[in-house]
Amino acid sequence: MGVMIIQIGRNDKCYCGSGNKYKKCCLNNDQGTRINDFSPPPHVLKQLLKEKNPEPYLNIVPSVVWNGFRCRAIWNKVYYRPIEQTFHEFLIDVLLLTFGKEWNDKQLAMEHSERHIVMKWKFSYADWTRRSLEKNVIKVVEGIPRYGAIPTGEVKAFLQLAYDLYCLQIVNKLPESMIRRLRNYREFQGVRYEIAVAAMVARAGFEIQFFDRKLKAQTQCEFIAIHKKTGINIGIEAKSRRRKGVLNEEGVWAETEELRGDVWKLFNKARKQKPEEKPFIIFLDLNLPPLSNLPEQETPLLKDLHKMIFEDYGKASFENRDPFNMIIITNYSYYYAGNENETPNGECYMALSDFPETEISQREIVLEIFDSVRNYREIPEEV
């Protein structure tokens, strides 16, 4: 996602440069081009579905302007939103609705330093929006003028979580237990990564089957991914490295102490959670500041990770097979950039096993997952 789109307020200065307020200048003309009191006829709606399909495996229904509202569907619910509201603003609404009004009210009553990281991101988003509106940066989306600006690290983290929640709710795969864990300070980091991984896998064309956490044994993975086209079942495990002072964690972030991979324990635990007779993919989140300022071949961390997986763990062979088919290491840690710097690029790395315990007859399936991971930071401007 290059820019985040926010609406032009009625009382903002008009984008045409007249100096008048938008409501007294171009608002009526703009509304005349986009307000329609009737929903599109079936053949028009079918064409819209074909053209506006940024996530082909999720069957997202494009928004429709009807009777003075922009209608957006999530699973079996329809949301009637203001016509001017952008898709990105709708995602923020989805996130806040997911956390719930009671949680929101309690958070607002706290001192800012004591608030959940998501509430802190909400305030960062509000501050970034104000600053962006002051810059008066215009972007035209589908012929409609919008303000557009590159998000800061914290705003991007906020919006990315919102998009992941939206995608899982689109396919009705966001258990209430996950929502409760999201609200919990201590559990937030782990479940945030589980949600990110589930959303990436769903966007790659898989059905998600979560385990009941009350019944989940220690040897079970996070969820089963069922490939929609072939029916192949793959076990998915997702683990994120905790860092002091980051994502609700106590303590203070110290780069000299924390700037290392240090995911051996996560890997060692994850590899033991392979489901029986199923292929297995492990996701590991480094949760470190962006590493993209160094070429891959010059990044010591990657050399350490490669050594950990293929040397310290033991070289696989026909007789001594790996429990995993693929390890995906991610570092989409936008929040390290704060609310002043532009969104940094995230990183992802893949390691395929030549000798997995359970083979996949169509190896390109796992590559489809990695392709979705590589596109993680892309969020549609509109659906």
Side-chain angles (χ1 to χ4, degrees):
M1 184 194 70
V3 297
M4 182 173 174
I5 307 302
I6 51 181
Q7 71 183 36
I8 298 176
R10 291 170 56 85
N11 293 314
D12 294 330
K13 286 185 179 181
C14 188
Y15 62 89
C16 71
S18 66
N20 297 323
K21 290 184 177 181
Y22 180 51
K23 66 182 179 182
K24 293 185 178 180
C25 194
C26 293
L27 174 61
N28 290 335
N29 290 335
D30 290 341
Q31 285 184 334
T33 65
R34 65 182 190 272
I35 293 182
N36 188 342
D37 290 332
F38 303 94
S39 58
H43 71 282
V44 174
L45 184 58
K46 185 176 181 179
Q47 183 62 26
L48 285 172
L49 285 167
K50 182 178 179 180
E51 294 176 355
K52 299 173 64 176
N53 195 14
E55 301 291 357
Y57 296 115
L58 298 187
N59 297 318
I60 297 175
V61 177
S63 65
V64 174
V65 175
W66 177 79
N67 209 25
F69 293 94
R70 183 173 293 279
C71 305
R72 299 186 184 275
I74 296 181
W75 189 240
N76 61 357
K77 294 182 180 179
V78 177
Y79 296 83
Y80 297 87
R81 312 305 301 165
I83 292 175
E84 296 83 4
Q85 187 184 57
T86 70
F87 178 57
H88 294 169
E89 290 170 325
F90 175 65
L91 290 178
I92 300 301
D93 281 355
V94 169
L95 182 151
L96 296 176
L97 286 170
T98 300
F99 276 78
K101 185 177 184 302
E102 181 180 353
W103 179 88
N104 187 77
D105 290 344
K106 287 182 179 179
Q107 287 289 316
L108 289 175
M110 294 180 180
E111 294 292 332
H112 189 69
S113 61
E114 298 177 355
R115 287 172 174 151
H116 191 289
I117 189 64
V118 170
M119 180 57 67
K120 292 178 180 178
W121 287 346
K122 176 184 175 181
F123 277 84
S124 294
Y125 166 71
D127 181 60
W128 170 84
T129 300
R130 176 188 55 77
R131 300 198 314 261
S132 300
L133 293 176
E134 289 175 353
K135 293 179 181 178
N136 200 36
V137 180
I138 298 299
K139 181 177 179 65
V140 177
V141 181
E142 297 181 343
I144 302 172
R146 303 288 199 200
Y147 283 123
I150 297 175
T152 62
E154 290 181 354
V155 170
K156 172 61 177 174
F158 190 48
L159 186 66
Q160 191 68 60
L161 173 60
Y163 187 53
D164 291 340
L165 291 172
Y166 166 82
C167 288
L168 290 187
Q169 289 179 76
I170 280 286
V171 294
N172 195 30
K173 293 297 180 180
L174 182 65
E176 181 62 34
S177 60
M178 277 190 154
I179 299 174
R180 289 195 298 269
R181 292 170 63 208
L182 278 172
R183 300 186 189 115
N184 185 291
Y185 284 63
R186 180 62 181 169
E187 294 195 51
F188 172 76
Q189 175 170 323
V191 71
R192 176 202 68 90
Y193 191 57
E194 291 168 27
I195 286 170
V197 169
M200 286 187 274
V201 173
R203 291 193 287 262
F206 288 77
E207 178 80 16
I208 304 299
Q209 185 180 81
F210 286 108
F211 292 108
D212 187 326
R213 290 192 68 82
K214 292 182 179 179
L215 302 177
K216 183 178 180 295
Q218 291 298 314
T219 55
Q220 279 187 321
C221 55
E222 299 295 347
F223 61 89
I224 299 296
I226 306 168
H227 193 248
K228 293 179 181 179
K229 291 183 179 179
T230 65
I232 292 174
N233 285 213
I234 300 175
I236 305 290
E237 180 65 17
K239 293 192 179 298
S240 178
R241 178 66 167 83
R242 295 181 182 273
R243 306 286 177 187
K244 292 181 180 179
V246 180
L247 298 179
N248 292 326
E249 290 297 306
E250 295 181 355
V252 178
W253 161 255
E255 183 170 336
T256 55
E257 298 177 10
E258 296 287 350
L259 195 53
R260 59 187 187 278
D262 197 18
V263 291
W264 168 255
K265 289 182 180 180
L266 296 184
F267 167 69
N268 199 39
K269 184 176 180 180
R271 69 183 180 84
K272 299 175 183 177
Q273 295 178 274
K274 178 188 182 301
E276 291 184 8
E277 300 181 354
K278 288 182 175 63
F280 186 43
I281 296 177
I282 296 172
F283 283 78
L284 298 175
D285 174 39
L286 296 178
N287 186 18
L288 283 170
L291 308 171
S292 53
N293 57 329
L294 290 175
E296 287 191 18
Q297 66 273 18
E298 296 180 13
T299 305
L301 173 59
L302 296 185
K303 295 178 181 178
D304 292 344
L305 291 171
H306 189 276
K307 180 177 181 294
M308 176 193 78
I309 296 168
F310 294 106
E311 295 180 28
D312 297 349
Y313 167 63
K315 190 173 180 61
S317 65
F318 186 82
E319 294 78 17
N320 182 31
R321 292 179 174 269
D322 289 320
F324 56 85
N325 298 69
M326 177 168 66
I327 297 174
I328 296 177
I329 298 170
T330 62
N331 194 44
Y332 292 112
S333 50
Y334 310 119
Y335 37 85
Y336 279 97
N339 201 34
E340 299 296 330
N341 301 313
E342 292 183 356
T343 307
N345 289 322
E347 300 95 13
C348 60
Y349 312 98
M350 173 184 69
L352 281 169
S353 171
D354 292 324
F355 299 97
E357 286 181 8
T358 308
E359 297 278 359
I360 297 179
S361 58
Q362 300 182 41
R363 197 171 186 178
E364 63 272 15
I365 290 177
V366 296
L367 299 181
E368 290 175 4
I369 293 178
F370 187 66
D371 190 54
S372 179
V373 175
R374 288 189 300 175
N375 293 326
Y376 181 65
R377 69 193 311 269
E378 299 298 324
I379 299 176
E381 292 183 354
E382 183 58 82
V383 298

